[in-house]
């Protein structure tokens, strides 16, 4: 796993590079979906009733939308780790369903990373990241806008 500090993200942004994981070799299990549903009481039938989704033209249950950001972060961290001082929130757009047997890859683009002494906290600076989550069919499933304070090199 590669650790990424603020200075690393500045260089990535300047070169217009993106951080991309390979397509995952693991799949999101139904046990994870069931655990999420049990914790959140998210009882929408699209997340738990395969027959309901088949009647709607889909092949399986959907992974709940708000589970996707955490899954993508966990998968991303197998390859890269932002040295986060503070997570200042995220916005999500869900474009198509993600299913339990789908595989994903994560592509992060650094859209803002500038030293700003007014916003610097404990040697960290604001960074905005656009995260694309792609399935095994190379379809864009979800887009996240991440807002972090990232630590600088010590």
């Amino acid at each position: 796993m590669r650790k990424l500090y603020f200075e690393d993200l500045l260089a990535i942004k300047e070169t217009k590079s993106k951080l991309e994981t390979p397509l995952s070799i693991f799949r999101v299990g139904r046990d994870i979906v069931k655990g999420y549903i049990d914790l959140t009481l998210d009882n929408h039938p699209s997340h738990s009733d395969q027959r309901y989704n088949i009647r709607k033209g889909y092949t399986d249950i959907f992974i709940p939308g708000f589970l996707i950001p955490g899954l993508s972060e966990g998968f991303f961290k197998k390859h890269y780790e932002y040295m986060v001082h503070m997570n200042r929130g995220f916005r999500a757009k869900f474009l198509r369903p993600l299913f339990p047997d789908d595989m994903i890859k994560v592509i992060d683009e650094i859209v803002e990373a500038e030293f700003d002494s007014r916003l610097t906290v404990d040697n960290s600076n604001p960074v905005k990241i656009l995260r694309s989550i792609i399935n095994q069919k190379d379809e864009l499933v979800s887009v996240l806008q991440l807002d972090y304070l990232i630590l600088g090199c010590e």
Side-chain angles (χ1 to χ4, degrees):
M1 171 194 10
R2 180 177 166 202
K3 294 185 179 208
L4 298 165
Y5 292 89
F6 179 75
E7 293 80 1
D8 300 318
L9 301 183
L10 276 176
I12 290 167
K13 181 180 179 283
E14 287 173 7
T15 61
K16 299 183 182 347
S17 299
K18 294 182 182 179
L19 297 165
E20 183 171 337
T21 69
L23 190 65
S24 75
I25 57 171
F26 73 94
R27 290 167 163 72
V28 176
R30 292 175 185 284
D31 56 330
I32 293 172
V33 174
K34 181 168 179 355
Y36 179 86
I37 290 169
D38 290 346
L39 281 171
T40 63
L41 304 177
D42 180 349
N43 61 1
H44 194 282
S46 67
H47 302 149
S48 59
D49 185 350
Q50 186 175 12
R51 291 181 310 249
Y52 172 87
N53 279 1
I54 288 171
R55 287 192 305 272
K56 301 288 183 184
Y58 297 100
T59 58
D60 206 345
I61 62 171
F62 299 170
I63 293 173
F66 284 106
L67 180 55
I68 294 171
L71 292 171
S72 72
E73 184 68 13
F75 183 64
F76 187 81
K77 282 186 174 181
K78 291 179 182 254
H79 306 280
Y80 305 100
E81 182 179 7
Y82 296 126
M83 301 312 295
V84 175
H85 172 74
M86 183 185 302
N87 181 337
R88 300 184 337 158
F90 71 91
R91 293 177 54 175
K93 183 182 260 187
F94 306 112
L95 304 170
R96 62 177 23 94
L98 190 63
F99 301 100
D101 288 331
D102 281 351
M103 296 187 296
I104 63 169
K105 69 178 170 181
V106 177
I107 303 171
D108 278 10
E109 177 183 357
I110 311 305
V111 292
E112 287 182 36
E114 296 182 20
F115 178 77
D116 186 337
S117 60
R118 296 171 299 144
L119 299 175
T120 299
V121 176
D122 295 335
N123 192 32
S124 61
N125 287 282
V127 175
K128 293 190 190 291
I129 299 164
L130 185 66
R131 172 167 290 169
S132 300
I133 301 163
I134 312 291
N135 68 15
Q136 72 276 7
K137 296 177 184 174
D138 210 30
E139 299 169 325
L140 182 61
V141 171
S142 184
V143 176
L144 307 176
Q145 296 171 329
L146 309 172
D147 188 359
Y148 293 142
L149 286 178
I150 303 290
L151 291 169
C153 292
E154 297 183 42

